[in-house]
Amino acid sequence: MTNLGIDIGSTTTKGVILSNDGLLLNSLITPTGSSPVLAASNLIAELSKECTPSKIYATGYGRGLVSNADKRITEITCHGAGVNSIYQDACAIIDIGGQDSKAIHLGNDGSVVDFAMNDKCAAGTGSFLDNIAHKFNISYDSMLDLYLSSDKRVNINSTCVVFAESEIIGLLAKGESMSNIFKGVLRAISMRISRLYSQVKIPHESSKVYFTGGVAKNIAMQEALKEELNAEIIVDSNAQFMGAIGAAHLARRDTIKER
Ligand code: ADP
């Protein structure tokens, strides 16, 4: 018996397959591109090659498009289930994807107690960071060095990417260093995330935050969040797959229940 979870995000589509005893057998990722249906069906076909899954659960903004899904579940529930399947004591999650960001508070049993989400505006998401990085030719690999070499606080006040770009051009023209500006960009994103985080009322004694979504792979962003939240930031090696992992675990739980 295997179970499959698929997460159709705005930027990437992720799929995982779990074994009978809940082990991660395979995980695949592909850009969602202009056809979320095609991205999802290709991943499902590839992951089902060796063994037809008992159930397919879908999550992500495109979950409604997966016609052969047995169930469609929100990303919030799935990120919660994914993190809880690996870290049973987790109580706080921050998920930053391509187009949205979320703070999630989990109860002792791993269920979602509360959440706050930003999906109306790109500020505080991966696409805000990607746009700025692209415009100013900053690679993912160079971000941590830039962040760490900053020696002065510079505030970026614009939250819209177009205005932020002009603000950065203005600062560069005044002789401000790219590292100080870049740290300012990451601080601005972290401050938005921190506002979401404070809305979900995580208990004070909890100082561990589980960071999921593609942006969790960004080490400079991990550092910026650590500084802003004054918390330990934990990033699983499968952080970007956490929604798909959660969907697959929920599928497995239901498959077992029905036996
Ligand atoms: P979604 O589920 O919304 O499609 P993801 O959770 O897959 O989004 O996250 C996509 C974002 O992850 C990208 O916009 C990018 O900012 C970030 N990202 C992806 N890979 C990396 C990487 N190797 N290093 C840093 N950031 C990354």
Side-chain angles (χ1 to χ4, degrees):
M1 174 195 82
T2 59
N3 284 279
L4 194 152
I6 184 112
D7 175 3
I8 304 100
S10 60
T11 309
T12 65
T13 295
K14 287 79 61 182
V16 305
I17 192 138
L18 296 185
S19 72
N20 194 22
D21 41 10
L23 293 178
L24 184 62
L25 295 177
N26 198 1
S27 58
L28 293 173
I29 182 166
T30 187
T32 301
S34 58
S35 178
V37 174
L38 194 64
S41 61
N42 285 345
L43 280 201
I44 291 173
E46 193 61 32
L47 289 166
S48 309
K49 253 184 186 167
E50 302 211 341
C51 173
T52 306
S54 303
K55 286 188 189 298
I56 298 173
Y57 279 13
T59 187
Y61 97 105
R63 61 186 178 276
L65 301 168
V66 186
S67 57
N68 56 340
D70 295 287
K71 210 174 199 177
R72 296 169 187 88
I73 306 177
T74 69
E75 295 113 283
I76 293 146
T77 301
C78 288
H79 276 264
V83 169
N84 179 256
S85 71
I86 307 169
Y87 308 97
Q88 281 80 33
D89 63 342
C91 130
I93 301 173
I94 283 173
D95 165 40
I96 313 182
Q99 300 279 350
D100 62 20
S101 40
K102 308 171 193 80
I104 305 168
H105 174 184
L106 295 182
N108 291 338
D109 60 353
S111 62
V112 175
V113 173
D114 197 7
F115 71 92
M117 185 166 176
N118 157 36
D119 59 354
K120 302 253 175 328
C121 148
T125 71
S127 67
F128 181 79
L129 195 51
D130 293 346
N131 273 301
I132 295 201
H134 180 73
K135 170 85 185 176
F136 297 97
N137 209 12
I138 302 168
S139 66
Y140 288 139
D141 287 346
S142 66
M143 287 183 181
L144 183 64
D145 282 347
L146 262 185
Y147 181 89
L148 293 176
S149 53
S150 164
D151 56 9
K152 179 180 154 200
R153 187 179 173 105
V154 169
N155 292 325
I156 301 294
N157 299 308
S158 315
T159 50
C160 163
V161 73
V162 180
F163 291 125
E165 276 179 21
S166 331
E167 194 179 347
I168 294 171
I169 290 167
L171 286 163
L172 287 169
K174 281 186 199 154
E176 199 51 80
S177 74
M178 196 64 227
S179 67
N180 289 337
I181 295 171
F182 185 67
K183 186 163 181 175
V185 168
L186 292 190
R187 194 183 311 105
I189 296 174
S190 303
M191 282 162 71
R192 289 186 78 84
I193 302 296
S194 169
R195 282 199 284 277
L196 288 182
Y197 187 73
S198 57
Q199 284 172 39
V200 298
K201 300 182 186 67
I202 304 292
H204 285 306
E205 65 273 17
S206 166
S207 59
K208 284 184 187 167
V209 174
Y210 294 82
F211 188 9
T212 65
V215 180
K217 286 158 69 176
N218 188 326
I219 303 169
M221 195 66 228
Q222 294 174 18
E223 285 298 315
L225 269 184
K226 185 169 143 189
E227 215 169 301
E228 189 61 36
L229 300 177
N230 194 22
E232 187 185 347
I233 304 292
I234 297 157
V235 180
D236 188 84
S237 55
N238 286 309
Q240 194 169 14
F241 288 90
M242 213 45 90
I245 291 174
H249 270 284
L250 294 170
R252 178 174 170 268
R253 186 199 62 190
D254 290 349
T255 302
I256 292 168
K257 258 195 221 159
E258 283 171 17
R259 273 180 171 180

